[in-house]
Amino acid sequence: MHRRDGRLTLLMLAAAGIASLAAWYVAHGAAISALQAGLEQNLIVTKRAIESEVERFRYLPRVLGEDARIRQLIARPGDGDAVEAANAYLRTVAGQSGAAQLYVLNDAGLTLAASNHDEPGSFVGNSYSFRPYYRDAMAGGEGRYYAIGVTTGRPGYFLSSRLLTRDGIIGVVVAKVDLEPLETAWQAAGAQTAIADRNGVVFLSGNPDWKYRPLSPLTAQAQARIAEERTYEGIELASARPLLEGGSAAAPAGAGGTEFAPGAGGSGLLARFRPVDPDGWLILSATDTAAARDRAGFWALVAGLSGLLAAGGVHYLGQRRVLTQLRLRQTDMLERMVGERTRELARENEIRRRTEADLRAAQEGLIHSEKMAALGRMSAAIVHEVAQPLAALETTLATADALARQIDAGPVGERLKAARALIRRMQRTVKHLKSFGRRDAAELTLVDIDEAVRNALEVVSARARSVGVTPHFAPEGSPPFVPAVAVKLEQVLINLIVNALDAVEGAAQGAVTVERESAGARLTVRVSDNGPGISRELMPRISEPFFTTKISGGGLGLGLSISNAIMAEFGGDIVFSSAPGGGTVATVSMPVAPPQRVAAE
């Protein structure tokens, strides 16, 4: 046991070392990723700033070329008045637009007029045919180029546009833009940001030590091109140390990051690059990686200390576990015996509870079966005893009705018709009771729901008068037809209305309401009362057979159970709920007959 705990402690110490190393790599990677994301955002902002600054002046040479004074100058370069007017116009536009210099060249590259015509280092009279912006404008209509001015010694971005007079004389209008304010802003913010030209030479930088240094060693072809175009007049680039001498020479070609040391003894920098079209420039944004290394070291230290603490905790717990196991061994056997005996007792109790529940269920089932059998025998006896007298009574009333018609006794005949109608209803009920005893399903026909409600109200009218309540039923619109058995549906409605009348019996302002409404393919009939209502505990049981809330002898508790069975036969149901103001609402829901069937029948 001691040997195993010692091995576990050694494993924990090794894991602590591995965790410390992994934490360093993870934290360093996360910090580098965060730095790269910041550099990427800086590159986007810098690129937009450069493009916005250049875009301000991009159309200026072309617009200047459309002015009559500039075109007159190109057409008559020796005219003193034309030269003076062009010089004044260029100075005015330069002052208002913010351009560093504006000047006009003829087709040989000689300056005819300039905004600095009366200043030291004036462009007038100088030839700039060697500049790429002149050659590009003459060849393609427009040109752009960044370089140090050979006349003023100040760098700038040259934008040029070719113009053509009616006489076919060609000239070039040039706008020199000063981009050094961007560099000043970078220096003020301490941003390690720079822009290199297509040859890889840094010409704008927030770090003064980077300016006019190549990113990587210049090729002989690049050095010859720079010398021919006099791009960096007065700057010795051949002896300048490459900026990425300690990094990857291929890094500037991609958008990824690279680490490099820009100077001897300097800390490492993380750089990202982004190209700027159409000049082929490359934006460089860099940041110091010392903070990332410090953060990685901090988290490595935290992981290492955590691992050591965990190893110490494991060792302590191992020693404590040894002592605890010595004590547990003495009581382990006793606990197992007690546990086994407890489980045996629990199983015996569970078996006893299940047996008792099964016995109670069987006893209740036998009682219920006996009740249903007695009810069946009683129903059969009632049917047998009532059917023959009803038939004889109906025959007698029919004979009396015939005699009344012979003697023209109108009121008597109406009474006899009403009596015969009641006898026929009793016969239908007896017939239904017979069919109910046989459990035979009656054929469904189309029943007018409003007529069924009115028939039910007619049957319970005597009960309603004894209670002193007149049920209210005022349907709206044409009555829908439902597939049902009329006498069974009326039996359901009679049961619900009688229950509502029983609920309001003895109430000072008792009320019973029957409402009918249709919603799509379903019909709803609600029978509501304002009686005392049914408690929430008894509401789920009111449809159970032999369950009743009436006083002893007031009912068998079968009406709602039979009504539910009848509605299930019709594809409907009955739902009971409490009325908002007190009382009970019985909602009968059943399908409506399709219009095609109603039209056909």
Side-chain angles (χ1 to χ4, degrees), residues 26 35 40 46 57 104 122 143 304 325 332 345 402 415 419 512 536 540 543 554:
V26 172
L35 292 177
E40 190 64 27
T46 302
F57 302 97
V104 181
S122 172
Q325 288 177 351
D332 183 58
L345 292 175
R415 295 287 183 175
V512 175
R536 183 179 301 177
S543 296

Side-chain angles (χ1 to χ4, degrees), residues 83-411:
V83 172
E84 183 177 355
N87 285 332
Y89 174 65
L90 293 174
R91 170 174 288 181
T92 300
V93 174
Q96 294 180 353
S97 65
Q101 301 294 340
L102 300 174
Y103 52 102
V104 181
L105 310 177
N106 63 10
D107 57 357
L110 183 67
T111 305
L112 302 179
S115 59
N116 65 345
H117 63 279
D118 57 350
E119 299 176 4
S122 172
F123 294 166
V124 177
N126 292 315
S127 175
Y128 299 105
S129 59
F130 60 90
R131 288 296 199 189
Y133 65 79
Y134 167 76
R135 296 197 297 267
D136 293 342
M138 292 294 292
E142 290 185 350
R144 54 177 67 195
Y145 191 68
Y146 188 92
I148 297 177
V150 295
T151 303
T152 61
R154 294 185 60 81
Y157 188 55
F158 298 88
L159 299 169
S160 60
S161 177
R162 182 184 63 191
L163 63 91
L164 181 65
T165 65
R166 295 180 180 179
D167 299 331
I169 302 175
I170 299 175
V172 176
V173 181
V174 184
K176 181 179 180 182
V177 181
D178 187 8
L179 297 182
E180 288 189 340
L182 294 175
E183 185 179 63
T184 303
W186 298 340
Q187 293 176 357
Q192 301 277 25
T193 304
I195 304 178
D197 62 9
R198 59 178 178 170
N199 296 313
V201 178
V202 175
F203 60 87
L204 286 179
S205 174
N207 189 337
D209 295 336
W210 294 2
K211 197 168 184 179
Y212 301 128
R213 289 176 59 182
L215 296 178
S216 56
L218 295 175
T219 63
Q221 182 180 3
Q223 292 182 18
R225 183 168 56 249
I226 293 173
E228 178 185 357
E229 297 172 356
R230 302 172 66 182
T231 307
Y232 301 104
E233 187 79 7
I235 302 298
E236 183 61 37
L237 296 177
S239 59
R241 187 174 67 255
L243 192 62
L244 302 182
E245 188 175 17
S248 173
T258 183
E259 293 193 31
F260 68 100
S267 60
L269 296 178
L270 177 68
R272 287 183 72 87
F273 305 88
R274 181 175 287 270
V276 179
D277 296 326
D279 299 278
W281 294 352
L282 196 66
I283 305 176
L284 179 149
S285 182
T287 186
D288 196 347
T289 58
R293 291 193 296 272
D294 293 342
R295 180 177 298 180
F298 169 76
W299 286 110
L301 179 62
V302 170
L305 291 176
S306 301
L308 292 176
L309 290 175
V314 168
H315 181 73
Y316 169 75
L317 292 176
Q319 296 296 324
R320 185 175 180 180
R321 186 176 62 253
V322 171
L323 296 176
T324 303
Q325 288 177 351
L326 292 176
R327 296 174 182 175
L328 291 177
R329 289 174 183 174
Q330 300 175 0
T331 58
D332 183 58
M333 183 63 69
L334 180 60
E335 289 182 355
R336 284 199 300 270
M337 294 175 63
V338 171
E340 291 177 359
R341 183 54 183 165
T342 302
R343 286 191 292 272
E344 290 177 359
L345 292 175
R347 285 194 296 270
E348 292 176 0
N349 291 333
E350 181 64 22
I351 293 172
R352 185 178 296 108
R353 283 196 297 268
R354 291 181 181 178
T355 303
E356 292 175 354
D358 292 341
L359 289 175
R360 283 195 300 270
Q363 184 179 10
E364 292 175 357
L366 290 174
I367 294 173
H368 179 68
S369 298
E370 185 63 25
K371 287 181 179 180
M372 292 302 294
L375 177 62
R377 291 191 297 271
M378 180 181 65
S379 299
I382 292 173
V383 170
H384 179 73
E385 293 298 331
V386 173
Q388 291 182 354
L390 284 178
L393 182 57
E394 199 276 335
T395 303
T396 302
L397 289 174
T399 304
D401 183 30
L403 294 175
R405 284 198 300 271
Q406 291 177 4
I407 64 175
D408 194 17

